[in-house]
Amino acid sequence: MALSRLIVVLAATVALLLFSRAEAGEIGVNYGMLGSDLPDPASVVRLLRKSGITSVRLYDTNATVLRALANTGIKVMVMLRNDELAAVAASPSVALRWVRSNVAAHYPATQIRDVEVGNEVFLKAKSLTRQLVPAMNNVHAALVRLRLDAAIKVSTPLAFTALAESWPPSSGRFRDDIAQSVMKPMVDFLRRTGSSLNVNAYPYFAYIAQPDKISLDYALGNPNPGVRDNKTGLVYHSLLDAQIDAAYFAMEKLESAGTSMVVAESKGQSGTPGVNVPETGHPHYGHPKRNGGRRLLAAGDGCPAASISNAQAYNNNLINRVLSGATGTPYRPDADMDVHIFSLFDENLKSNRPDDTENFFGLFYSNMTKVYGFDFHRASLASWCMANASAGAAALQAAMDYACGHGTDCGAIQPGGTCFEPGNKLAHASYAFNSYYHRNGRARGTCDFDGAAYIVFREPAGNCDPKASRCVANAAAGEKALQEALNYACANGADCSAIQRCGPCFEPNNVTAHASYAFNNYYQRKGRARGTCDFAGAGSVVYRAPKIGKCVLPSKVWNL
């Protein structure tokens, strides 16, 4: 490499170090207050602490809420409302007064870390578009004057519609009406101040717009074959990753051709600001608006896309991913990313239609009970390392040889071993990679193998572990015996909601499949104790994760 080229690459690397947050990505929640029956802020703060939620995003600077968050250690993102933006953009002195009253007055007792200027301005307040960056500059200048700029960053949340094109991710670009006039100076501001681009990304909305073209598992972040960007060769197993990388590519298109060339050669490692996701989530109920009308969007099996099981899958995948440190994307594998789930509560005033999905994104009902199981405590993490079939046989073999030669016990995938079957390279590589990953404490970078592997947060079908077992139904016992054992399991501690109509494990709708789910849930809840997978001969123990329809029987019951 020529010396001049090397200097450019080194400069890009130094810029990345200078403009990245020093700590790993954060997972938090959006605390909206558009509800008629929400609990008081003091009760909410107790709920946040009990739930292990360490970061919260607000849609204003509500003083009561900020005081309730004081001395809790919870990190806070506040917002300058759209109706305040014009005055702040027009006057540095107004910006200074706003920052003094709404930020400095509460800091550091309340750990305010970010100020968002406006809320989806290009979508919700188009007349303010040209005033957005001046307002951001004035708020930052006020923070500098008060010596708070090192601790508190300034950005603005963009609706994903700010991108004119997002697939494939390498074609990502901002809309022509804002690209050079607003986004270029904004990205320059973010780079100069060490801030990140904030993009609200909702795979759910992309899925309901094109359910015939987008896989539900891909939208939810469940294990799936992946989708290739043919321009870069990168494979995406998560629609959210594809949306984030589209934003990275869109920012790079604002740069010079020379910078873009260096970025491509260094897999995206440049001084381009990072991308955070201040809003993302999945509704657990409701009817989405579409084309001015109302309909209940159904997945391929006739069940609604907005369901408890789908919301639980999306948000748990995301929580576990960020807590594990796996915040990189195919284009930016080492990137950190802060994510805030929308939302903390169901908010019955988000829409004037009581059955609108907008009202049903909550992790909690307004009475502070969970809508479904989840856990923000790091100790609850569950993740697996899978082989990437698109890497090719040679790459898989080389990576498998490395894993087996560096501490992984690969005896189970030798002929006659517990995990030898099916005797193919992909299954054996997944076993070796997953064993290596867990042996190394699921440390960051231990499930990469130069692109031959990737992390998932739901146990993949066929995963084999000699130390973990499942309980499945023995079809030879007959339907009558299976039904009796199924009834017993469901009546004695097993959670059988997943095998009800529209539950994630309802299909295939037969007694053997439903019995396997119920038996395994009972067995795992009893700690896999001896005799808890017998059911008078109707159940048997296996060491490979069986797939029943779209449901993979786990080796542990999570989120109890």
Side-chain angles (χ1 to χ4, degrees):
M1 182 184 290
L3 179 60
S4 60
R5 190 84 162 272
L6 177 61
I7 291 172
V8 173
V9 172
L10 290 174
T13 303
V14 170
L16 177 67
L17 295 174
L18 289 175
F19 296 126
S20 296
R21 286 182 184 261
E23 57 195 79
E26 188 87 33
I27 184 76
V29 297
N30 285 269
Y31 175 18
M33 303 186 74
L34 293 178
S36 62
D37 53 356
L38 297 180
D40 63 274
S43 298
V44 171
V45 170
R46 287 193 293 272
L47 180 66
L48 293 172
R49 300 183 76 176
K50 178 182 176 182
S51 303
I53 296 170
T54 58
S55 184
V56 65
R57 177 176 180 255
L58 308 178
Y59 290 88
D60 53 22
T61 52
N62 185 302
T64 303
V65 175
L66 291 175
R67 284 193 295 268
L69 287 162
N71 305 309
T72 63
I74 295 172
K75 301 176 183 70
V76 183
M77 179 183 291
V78 298
M79 183 179 290
L80 182 145
R81 300 190 312 269
N82 288 344
D83 62 355
E84 302 170 301
L85 194 149
V88 167
S91 170
S93 61
V94 171
L96 181 61
R97 285 198 300 272
W98 187 91
V99 171
R100 275 186 172 143
S101 299
N102 296 286
V103 179
H106 299 280
Y107 185 86
T110 301
Q111 286 292 299
I112 298 172
R113 295 234 317 196
D114 300 89
V115 176
E116 289 191 304
V117 175
N119 187 22
E120 297 187 336
V121 167
F122 304 152
L123 178 67
K124 297 178 178 178
K126 296 178 183 178
S127 63
L128 299 173
T129 293
R130 295 305 178 100
Q131 295 164 283
L132 180 55
V133 176
M136 294 169 69
N137 273 303
N138 285 347
V139 170
H140 175 71
L143 290 168
V144 170
R145 183 165 175 179
L146 297 172
R147 299 182 179 179
L148 295 175
D149 57 302
I152 302 173
K153 299 302 178 184
V154 176
S155 189
T156 186
L158 305 180
F160 198 69
T161 52
L163 276 76
E165 194 170 352
S166 61
W167 182 259
S170 57
S171 295
R173 63 182 180 86
F174 293 111
R175 292 180 352 221
D176 291 342
D177 62 315
I178 58 173
Q180 292 299 321
S181 59
V182 184
M183 291 310 305
K184 179 63 166 66
M186 183 188 298
V187 171
D188 290 343
F189 166 84
L190 297 173
R191 179 186 297 104
R192 174 171 56 84
T193 61
S195 301
S196 297
L197 185 74
N198 286 359
V199 179
N200 293 343
Y202 285 90
Y204 166 76
F205 289 119
Y207 171 74
I208 65 170
Q210 295 182 300
D212 55 331
K213 296 180 180 178
I214 296 175
S215 147
L216 182 59
D217 282 334
Y218 177 60
L220 295 177
N222 288 337
N224 64 86
V227 183
R228 179 184 291 274
D229 181 333
N230 289 327
K231 292 184 179 180
T232 62
L234 296 173
V235 177
Y236 289 84
H237 297 277
S238 159
L239 178 52
L240 179 63
D241 276 353
Q243 292 178 327
I244 293 167
D245 275 356
Y248 275 120
F249 279 102
M251 280 194 285
E252 288 172 8
K253 285 182 174 61
L254 301 175
E255 306 300 320
S256 68
T259 302
S260 296
M261 177 178 63
V262 172
V263 165
E265 291 191 355
S266 60
K267 272 189 104 174
Q269 304 305 307
S270 76
T272 303
V275 175
N276 289 332
V277 184
E279 264 190 40
T280 189
H282 193 106
H284 59 84
Y285 178 73
H287 302 263
K289 294 178 188 174
R290 191 173 183 188
N291 299 327
R294 179 177 72 83
R295 68 188 185 96
L296 180 63
L297 183 82
D301 58 3
C303 292
S307 69
I308 286 179
S309 60
N310 288 340
Q312 182 177 29
Y314 181 80
N315 286 325
N316 274 323
N317 286 339
L318 191 55
I319 291 167
N320 288 340
R321 171 185 177 173
V322 177
L323 287 179
S324 75
T327 53
T329 62
Y331 188 52
R332 288 292 184 94
D334 298 321
D336 289 330
M337 175 175 62
D338 291 345
V339 180
H340 286 77
I341 292 172
F342 183 81
S343 59
L344 184 58
F345 296 109
D346 281 353
E347 298 172 62
N348 63 1
L349 300 180
K350 281 286 291 180
S351 169
N352 57 10
R353 288 193 300 104
D355 62 348
D356 193 334
T357 52
E358 288 288 329
N359 297 344
F360 299 100
F361 275 80
L363 294 171
F364 293 91
Y365 296 112
S366 59
N367 64 4
M368 298 195 292
T369 60
K370 286 183 177 181
V371 176
Y372 44 79
F374 60 85
D375 198 334
F376 282 79
H377 296 91
R378 195 170 296 271
S380 70
L381 282 179
S383 57
W384 293 263
C385 185
M386 287 183 68
N388 185 355
S390 65
L396 290 178
Q397 185 64 56
M400 183 165 53
D401 291 343
Y402 177 87
C404 294
H406 287 78
T408 299
D409 181 1
C410 293
I413 52 175
Q414 301 306 309
T418 308
C419 299
F420 178 74
E421 297 294 342
N424 63 63
K425 189 164 292 181
L426 189 65
H428 288 180
S430 286
Y431 176 88
F433 297 168
N434 192 52
S435 297
Y436 180 88
Y437 174 61
H438 282 84
R439 185 181 182 88
N440 286 281
R442 294 179 294 195
R444 190 169 183 173
T446 59
C447 179
D448 181 66
F449 300 100
D450 199 25
Y454 63 101
I455 295 171
V456 297
F457 298 95
R458 278 193 166 190
E459 189 165 12
N463 178 60
C464 186
D465 184 353
K467 298 177 182 177
S469 55
R470 294 96 175 157
C471 182
V472 297
N474 181 1
E479 287 198 3
K480 181 179 178 182
L482 290 178
Q483 187 63 58
E484 289 176 353
L486 166 64
N487 294 342
Y488 175 86
C490 295
N492 287 274
D495 178 0
C496 295
S497 58
I499 53 177
Q500 304 304 309
R501 170 70 182 162
C502 288
C505 302
F506 178 74
E507 295 293 348
N509 180 20
N510 61 64
V511 69
T512 304
H514 288 184
S516 286
Y517 180 87
F519 293 177
N520 189 59
N521 194 277
Y522 179 88
Y523 177 63
Q524 303 300 338
R525 285 173 177 265
K526 298 296 182 181
R528 301 198 293 260
R530 187 171 182 176
T532 56
C533 180
D534 182 66
F535 301 101
S540 57
V541 173
V542 297
Y543 293 91
R544 192 177 296 277
K547 187 175 184 181
I548 301 172
K550 291 185 176 181
C551 185
V552 177
L553 299 187
S555 58
K556 183 176 180 180
V557 179
W558 304 99
N559 304 311
L560 290 179

